[in-house]
């Protein structure tokens, strides 16, 4: 993916742009509404006909949903801002420390700093070569392709040579970092009766149409099991964050946790490898909401294992991805 304008990119310093999903600027209904409007307007996220979807979004969903979501954000908000924003910025700093001579920045697909803004800033600073790494280990048309859209819209006429990596779901460094995070949790707290890996869900119809996301989640799970030295059957794979009424990838995380509790399982360790950093979906949905549902169904403790965030092993893995030429297009 590159602009055709003539330039000498070889002499300019390279850059790495880490792109995450995004977050509201504040835990308020107004800020959440602005963020959700941009997010849910993306046709990669919601593929309904615009004349049907836009009135429903602006006159029903946003007025009703924004205050509720704002209250959820308020429960996890950090002193310096949204956990996703804070951890993504820290991760970019950590990766940059491992890539001397590179400019390492972060951007958000929705919200600020935007992909277009950061690419323009890099261009103004003399950067000509940019590698864009969406912080989604598993590829989906709903996430990675949306980042591709944002990059494609920003590149023409910029003089930038841009490469994008579509996934890293089997990268050995990333798999080892996830396994080490789980292993460290077990060493500190003992091993729970079950290990559950919860990935963000997508509509089943997208997978039926060829989206490789579910297949990559399974491949990641098998690789993590191998890195932990356990059988694949010792890990429960589920999908969370369902939105709307249509069927999404199953089994659903909360229903699975409730079923495990009813079966007599008392402790479950839960990790979310598809999320690069902690955010609303991990801290509020899993560690709070799903933990409560598990206890209400008879379980004793859902023990949430934090995301990699800016851990050294995570930064090492992403820096190594940036340096290698394989996997970029």
């Amino acid at each position: 993916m590159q602009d055709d304008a003539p330039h000498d990119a070889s002499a300019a310093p390279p850059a790495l742009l880490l792109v995450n999903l995004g977050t509201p600027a504040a835990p308020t209904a107004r800020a959440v509404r602005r963020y959700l409007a941009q997010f849910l307007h993306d046709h990669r996220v919601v593929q309904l006909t615009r004349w049907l979807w836009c009135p429903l979004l602006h006159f029903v969903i946003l007025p009703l949903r924004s205050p509720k979501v704002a209250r959820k954000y308020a429960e996890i908000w950090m002193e310096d801002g949204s956990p996703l924003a804070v951890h993504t910025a820290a991760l970019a700093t950590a990766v940059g420390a491992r890539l001397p001579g590179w400019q390492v920045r972060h951007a958000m697909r929705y919200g600020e700093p935007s992909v277009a803004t950061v690419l323009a800033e890099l261009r103004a600073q003399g950067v000509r070569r940019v590698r864009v790494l969406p912080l989604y280990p598993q590829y989906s048309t709903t996430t990675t392709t949306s980042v591709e859209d944002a990059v494609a819209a920003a590149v023409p006429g910029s003089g930038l040579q841009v490469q994008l990596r579509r996934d890293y779901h089997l990268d050995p460094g990333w798999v080892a970092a996830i396994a080490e995070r789980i292993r460290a949790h077990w060493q500190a707290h003992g091993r729970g009766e079950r290990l559950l890996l919860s990935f963000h869900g997508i509509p089943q119809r997208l997978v039926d149409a060829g989206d490789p996301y579910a297949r990559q989640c399974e491949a990641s799970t098998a690789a993590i099991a191998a890195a932990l030295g356990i059988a694949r059957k010792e890990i429960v794979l589920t999908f969370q964050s369902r939105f709307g009424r249509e069927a999404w990838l199953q089994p659903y995380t909360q229903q699975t946790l409730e079923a495990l509790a009813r079966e007599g399982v008392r402790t479950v360790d839960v990790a979310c490898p598809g999320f690069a950093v902690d955010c609303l979906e991990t801290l509020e949905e899993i560690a709070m909401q799903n933990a409560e549902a598990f206890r209400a169904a008879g379980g004793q403790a859902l023990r949430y294992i934090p995301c990699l965030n800016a851990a050294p092993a995570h930064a090492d893995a992403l820096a190594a991805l940036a340096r290698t030429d394989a996997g970029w297009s």
Side-chain angles (χ1 to χ4, degrees):
M1 183 185 299
Q2 66 181 45
D3 179 70
D4 293 330
H7 45 71
D8 180 13
S10 60
L16 175 67
L17 180 59
L18 305 177
V19 182
N20 214 334
L21 186 76
T23 177
T28 64
R30 183 176 182 180
V32 168
R33 181 167 183 159
R34 184 164 53 249
Y35 167 72
L36 289 179
Q38 184 184 7
F39 174 45
L40 296 175
H41 261 294
D42 189 344
H43 73 281
R44 300 289 186 184
V45 176
V46 179
Q47 299 176 350
L48 294 176
T49 304
R50 296 295 96 175
W51 67 263
L52 174 64
W53 174 241
C54 288
L56 179 63
L57 175 63
H58 287 281
F59 295 106
V60 179
I61 294 175
L62 290 178
L64 294 176
R65 191 171 177 82
S66 297
K68 297 177 182 178
V69 175
R71 288 192 290 271
K72 293 177 183 292
Y73 272 105
E75 292 186 86
I76 64 163
W77 208 257
M78 301 172 69
E79 183 178 351
D80 294 331
S82 163
L84 184 141
V86 172
H87 292 311
T88 301
L91 177 59
T93 298
V95 174
R98 289 157 172 78
L99 292 173
W102 290 61
Q103 287 235 36
V104 178
R105 300 285 299 278
H106 74 279
M108 301 298 177
R109 177 61 184 90
Y110 315 103
E112 300 296 336
S114 72
V115 171
T117 296
V118 178
L119 287 176
E121 291 172 353
L122 289 170
R123 170 68 176 81
Q125 293 166 8
V127 171
R128 295 297 179 268
R129 294 177 291 134
V130 183
R131 285 187 164 173
V132 177
L133 180 61
L135 291 174
Y136 313 124
Q138 296 77 28
Y139 171 86
S140 173
T141 54
T142 61
T143 51
T144 312
T145 304
S146 182
V147 174
E148 293 176 349
D149 293 343
V151 171
V155 165
S158 68
L160 292 173
Q161 290 184 346
V162 177
Q163 293 178 300
L164 186 140
R165 188 178 180 103
R166 302 196 99 193
D167 68 78
Y168 51 98
H169 71 287
L170 289 178
D171 174 70
W174 174 78
V175 171
I178 293 290
E180 179 53 36
R181 176 70 94 186
I182 296 170
R183 194 177 294 112
H185 169 83
W186 286 346
Q187 290 172 349
H189 305 287
R191 184 172 172 179
E193 295 171 60
R194 295 287 190 280
L195 171 62
L196 186 147
L197 300 186
S198 180
F199 293 82
H200 200 294
I202 64 173
Q204 179 65 47
R205 60 180 167 79
L206 297 179
V207 175
D208 294 341
D211 191 307
Y213 179 73
R215 185 172 67 251
Q216 291 194 0
C217 291
E218 170 55 42
S220 293
T221 300
I224 292 166
L228 286 169
I230 63 176
R232 165 63 185 88
K233 65 182 180 181
E234 294 183 59
I235 297 179
V236 181
L237 167 61
T238 63
F239 298 94
Q240 65 180 88
S241 308
R242 180 186 177 194
F243 177 78
R245 296 182 178 179
E246 69 175 312
W248 279 37
L249 290 176
Q250 297 186 48
Y252 299 134
T253 298
Q254 182 168 325
Q255 291 181 3
T256 300
L257 287 167
E258 291 169 343
L260 288 172
R262 290 192 294 268
E263 292 168 8
V265 174
R266 292 294 171 262
T267 58
V268 177
D269 298 325
V270 180
C272 300
F275 296 87
V277 303
D278 277 309
C279 55
L280 185 73
E281 287 82 359
T282 64
L283 299 174
E284 193 280 333
E285 182 180 356
I286 297 297
M288 297 171 66
Q289 183 184 137
N290 280 199
E292 182 179 349
F294 179 65
R295 291 191 298 268
Q300 180 178 334
L302 185 156
R303 308 187 308 182
Y304 173 63
I305 303 171
C307 291
L308 292 177
N309 296 320
H314 195 196
D316 289 342
L318 299 189
L321 285 175
R323 284 191 294 263
T324 185
D325 289 331
W328 298 88
S329 60

